[in-house]
Amino acid sequence: MNHDETIQKTITFVKDTLAEAEGGHDWWHISRVWSLAKLILEDEKADRLVVELGALLHDIADSKFHGGNEDVGPEKAIVFLESLDVDTEVISHVENIIRHVSFKGGNHEQAFRSPELDLVQDADRIDAIGAIGIARTFNYGGFIGAKLYDPDIPAKLNMSKEEYKKNIDPTINHFYEKLLLLKDRMNTTAGKTIAEKRHEYMEEFLNQFYREWNGEV
Ligand code: ADP
Ligand code: NI
């Protein structure tokens, strides 16, 4: 099967798999991450097929929505890619990308690295910040029943992976626990440049949010 056919079949599989997904983790998140990954790839040396498959398959079964089980996504991806007769080396690399792309509080050692993972991770992180990042974060907060903001509940830095995953603190706290930290964790030069712009936009948003919260017009 050629590159384009493999990608087309993967798109169909991902759209089907994510048909019922929460708005911030649906096909359109995948589509944006895939586009961003291809954009960054123009400036980086990495295997195109691994990057595209990694971006397309990175969230097919996020553990947050599968009772914390981190094996569902990688296992589904392996079965799917084997059905397309993709090379075993590519499959195993894509599996590693799916297993290691996630932030989860960011306070743990990342056990696998490659230029392809660096790139997919940057694309995923860029989609977590800026205007889209703000929209996704409030959508997720609503989905889990979190408050918008509560000045009496401080943000928690240095959460363990387990604490991070079950945290339902106010959505504004998530900016301090993750979103504002991402610009300093980008792997690629192109990723850093995009992240800085989106970071500034989030800071403006927060300033305006507090102004309005405090009764300014
Ligand atoms: P990662 O896969 O990098 O660990 P997550 O799946 O945890 O990232 O988060 C993806 C997006 O979901 C976040 O960027 C954010 O928009 C939203 N999200 C995750 N956890 C929370 C939370 N506790 N409160 C609000 N939004 C959240
Ligand atoms: Ni993602």
Side-chain angles (χ1 to χ4, degrees):
M1 196 178 293
N2 70 29
H3 179 94
D4 288 353
E5 280 170 344
T6 306
I7 297 301
Q8 278 315 316
K9 288 213 167 10
T10 307
I11 290 171
T12 304
F13 170 73
V14 174
K15 281 185 177 167
D16 281 355
T17 309
L18 292 177
E20 308 294 321
E22 176 268 330
H25 290 83
D26 61 359
W27 157 252
W28 295 109
H29 163 60
I30 305 305
S31 170
R32 292 187 301 267
V33 171
W34 178 42
S35 300
L36 287 163
K38 286 190 286 185
L39 183 74
I40 301 172
L41 188 58
E42 289 174 13
D43 294 332
E44 298 287 323
K45 272 212 177 77
D47 185 274
R48 182 170 193 89
L49 183 62
V50 170
V51 167
E52 290 196 41
L53 291 176
L56 287 168
L57 293 165
H58 83 276
D59 263 340
I60 48 171
D62 189 314
S63 64
K64 283 196 289 310
F65 308 115
H66 289 81
N69 190 335
E70 292 180 8
D71 294 322
V72 182
E75 281 165 10
K76 264 194 185 175
I78 293 170
V79 172
F80 169 72
L81 293 173
E82 282 175 347
S83 80
L84 299 189
D85 262 338
V86 171
D87 281 356
T88 48
E89 271 174 39
V90 171
I91 297 180
S92 120
H93 197 158
V94 171
E95 178 194 357
N96 269 314
I97 290 177
I98 302 170
R99 285 193 188 278
H100 299 282
V101 71
S102 170
F103 175 78
K104 299 193 192 82
N107 292 311
H108 56 285
E109 199 55 38
Q110 190 176 305
F112 174 86
R113 286 207 62 177
S114 70
E116 290 75 13
L117 171 59
D118 279 355
L119 221 149
V120 174
Q121 198 167 48
D122 276 11
D124 194 32
R125 287 175 173 175
I126 291 169
D127 202 57
I129 58 180
I132 296 275
I134 296 169
R136 290 181 71 209
T137 301
F138 282 98
N139 197 69
Y140 187 80
F143 179 78
I144 62 174
K147 295 179 182 178
L148 296 180
Y149 176 49
D150 185 338
D152 296 332
I153 305 178
K156 299 189 187 88
L157 295 173
N158 305 314
M159 274 185 283
S160 71
K161 187 168 132 184
E162 299 316 314
E163 285 168 323
Y164 176 79
K165 286 191 338 189
K166 54 176 198 253
N167 181 21
I168 53 157
D169 283 352
T171 303
I172 286 286
N173 292 20
H174 197 65
F175 285 77
Y176 301 94
E177 290 160 1
K178 173 180 176 186
L179 309 189
L180 295 170
L181 308 179
L182 291 178
K183 83 162 173 36
D184 292 327
R185 296 179 183 224
M186 303 303 290
N187 305 305
T188 65
T189 311
K192 276 192 190 105
T193 307
I194 306 170
E196 267 159 28
K197 210 167 143 214
R198 293 194 181 198
H199 183 92
E200 274 177 34
Y201 185 83
M202 286 193 299
E203 291 200 312
E204 255 176 65
F205 166 79
L206 287 169
N207 287 335
Q208 178 71 9
F209 185 96
Y210 296 127
R211 279 198 289 270
E212 294 180 12
W213 187 274
N214 291 317
E216 285 181 38
V217 290

